[in-house]
Each structure stands twice: as structure tokens, then as C-alpha cells.
Amino acid sequence: MALITVENLTKSFSGNTVLLDVSFSVERGDTLYIVGENGSGKTTLIKLLLGLMDASSGKIVFDGISKNQIGYMPQQNEIQSDFPASVSEIVMSGFLNRATLMPFYTKKQKENAEGIMKKLHIEELKNASFRDLSGGQKQRVLLCRALCAANGVLLLDEPLTALDPLASAEFYDVLADLKEQGVTVIIISHDVQCAVKYGDKILHLGRNETFFGTSHEYCHSEIGKKMLVEGHSHD
């Protein structure tokens, strides 16, 4: 059974259909890239997956996890970069997603956060102020926060937007490690080349057609070929 199964998902606002009949699934350890032009419904799909809005029709089935166990990392431009908190405080706040009524973090949560920061090589930054970090460091902090919130599933919205090439390469190394640990990663991206290179599966949202399949199948599909040619022409 897939970890997340989406069946015939449709969302309309005031008679305007933003998502139409979208179906896909992810297994544990999958890396799924969601691509498509602006206005194709990527943001709406994120909100539906996170339970922030309800679908007009269709369904999302979670098996072994619930929607509040998805670690979400929004685009960095949506985060207050001058947020006056320490790295440790921001990472730990990921646990609030799954909070009980206790107003403090447990010893186990603190140990988990330390382990995650170590894994992403930012443990020496834990007392630093978030606002003083570089773009790559901020991205790692936000990824740590998302991992604290996650139960095996990460949803990342344009994670490379603020990163230079070196930080981007390091980010992909981190994703490769997470995949080995069985973490399922769903990435919203405008970069089709990277999607094909690093993704197991591709969901292409288009105004006229939607594609879901393996990266290999996408490369050989009409829409995939067209997008890859366009991507090269912009380089």
C-alpha cells in the first residue's frame, strides 16, 4: 500500500477549476517532483495535502501517517529571514506540529533535534541567530525543522530558490541520505532538469494535461520532451 494515494483530486474556486482530476501515489523512500508552469495548481495541491483546504471532489488517502505528520518547508521568501530566534529554537518548533498539551519539549524531542542538526551539519550553529545565517545555512535549518515535524514524509516548496550552486549540491547530498533512510520527499520545483535527474517519480500539472509516472517515462512522454527542450533553451 502506498504511503499517500491521491485519487481524482479536483479543486475549484467560484467555478474556476484550479486542479482537475489529479491522481498519483508515493511509497516510502520515493522522491516525487511536482512540476508545471505558474498557475497550474501546485500551491493548491500543497494546501490540500497539508489539510489546509478541502478538495471539491476526489480523495487523499494516508496509510501509516496522518497529514499533520508531513514535514513542510515553505519557500524561503515566505519565511521572515530576520526572525530573531536561535537556530535551535526554530528547529525545535517543528515538534509543535505534533504537540500534545505539554507546554515544553520532551528529553526525547531535544535528543531528536540534536541528532537531526548533527546529520545536516549545523549542530555548531545551534545557538546562532537565524537572521545571521547564509542562505544555504537557513535552508538547512528549515529542513531540520521540517524533519522534526515529519513522520517519514517531507514536502518541500522550491527548496533551492535561495541557494548558490555549492549549497544546492550539498542539499541534494542531504536528500540522498534521507532517501537511504526511507524518508519520502515531495518537492515542488520549476526545474524540470533537476526533477528528471533526482526524482523517482514526476507529477506534471498542466492547464491542458497532467502526467504522472517515473522520471524515465516522463523523459519519453510528449509533455516531458517539450518541457526538457524548453528548459535547455532557457539555460
Side-chain angles (χ1 to χ4, degrees):
M1 174 86 181
L3 210 56
I4 303 172
T5 306
V6 173
E7 297 176 3
N8 309 116
L9 206 61
T10 295
K11 180 64 180 177
S12 301
F13 298 96
S14 310
N16 177 32
T17 300
V18 181
L19 276 181
L20 179 63
D21 210 23
V22 172
S23 297
F24 66 93
S25 62
V26 285
E27 317 276 336
R28 194 166 291 284
D30 274 350
T31 301
L32 167 70
Y33 272 80
I34 301 175
V35 299
E37 58 265 43
N38 289 338
S40 59
K42 299 192 293 289
T43 302
T44 300
L45 181 55
I46 287 177
K47 289 178 178 174
L48 290 167
L49 286 170
L50 294 172
L52 301 177
M53 60 171 66
D54 294 323
S56 302
S57 63
K59 61 180 178 176
I60 303 172
V61 180
F62 295 96
D63 184 45
I65 64 156
S66 61
K67 56 180 174 268
N68 70 337
Q69 292 175 318
I70 296 175
Y72 174 52
M73 188 170 95
Q75 288 190 41
Q76 201 165 299
N77 57 15
E78 292 176 26
I79 302 287
Q80 280 187 288
S81 291
D82 59 348
F83 201 62
S86 72
V87 165
S88 185
E89 285 169 332
I90 286 183
V91 171
M92 294 287 289
S93 70
F95 291 118
L96 299 176
N97 200 32
R98 292 189 268 161
T100 59
L101 295 174
M102 290 189 300
F104 51 84
Y105 300 113
T106 65
K107 183 167 182 278
K108 189 171 187 301
Q109 286 175 329
K110 287 176 182 169
E111 286 169 358
N112 279 356
E114 292 272 345
I116 289 168
M117 286 191 278
K118 205 167 197 166
K119 203 178 292 172
L120 270 68
H121 311 296
I122 61 163
E123 71 271 27
E124 73 282 1
L125 296 173
K126 67 181 182 182
N127 296 319
S129 175
F130 184 71
R131 67 170 84 176
D132 297 333
L133 304 183
S134 69
Q137 289 170 331
K138 283 178 179 170
Q139 207 70 326
R140 281 174 183 258
V141 172
L142 296 174
L143 186 56
C144 282
R145 181 183 183 278
L147 281 166
C148 285
N151 180 20
V153 181
L154 281 174
L155 177 54
L156 313 178
D157 189 0
E158 298 286 2
L160 302 181
T161 306
L163 303 193
D164 59 40
L166 179 62
S168 295
E170 289 176 351
F171 189 79
Y172 283 119
D173 287 342
V174 169
L175 290 186
D177 289 344
L178 294 175
K179 182 177 176 61
E180 277 185 24
Q181 294 158 31
V183 176
T184 301
V185 183
I186 300 172
I187 300 177
I188 312 291
S189 178
H190 65 279
D191 191 333
V192 178
Q193 308 286 343
C194 282
V196 166
K197 184 176 179 182
Y198 296 104
D200 302 309
K201 295 174 178 175
I202 307 283
L203 172 64
H204 180 106
L205 298 176
R207 291 190 183 89
N208 302 316
E209 60 180 312
T210 298
F211 170 94
F212 172 66
T214 65
S215 298
H216 179 76
E217 289 165 347
Y218 183 67
C219 288
H220 292 85
S221 68
E222 288 305 312
I223 185 71
K225 286 177 188 171
K226 181 171 176 285
M227 293 298 292
L228 288 164
V229 167
E230 282 181 8
H232 275 302
S233 68
H234 291 310
D235 290 344

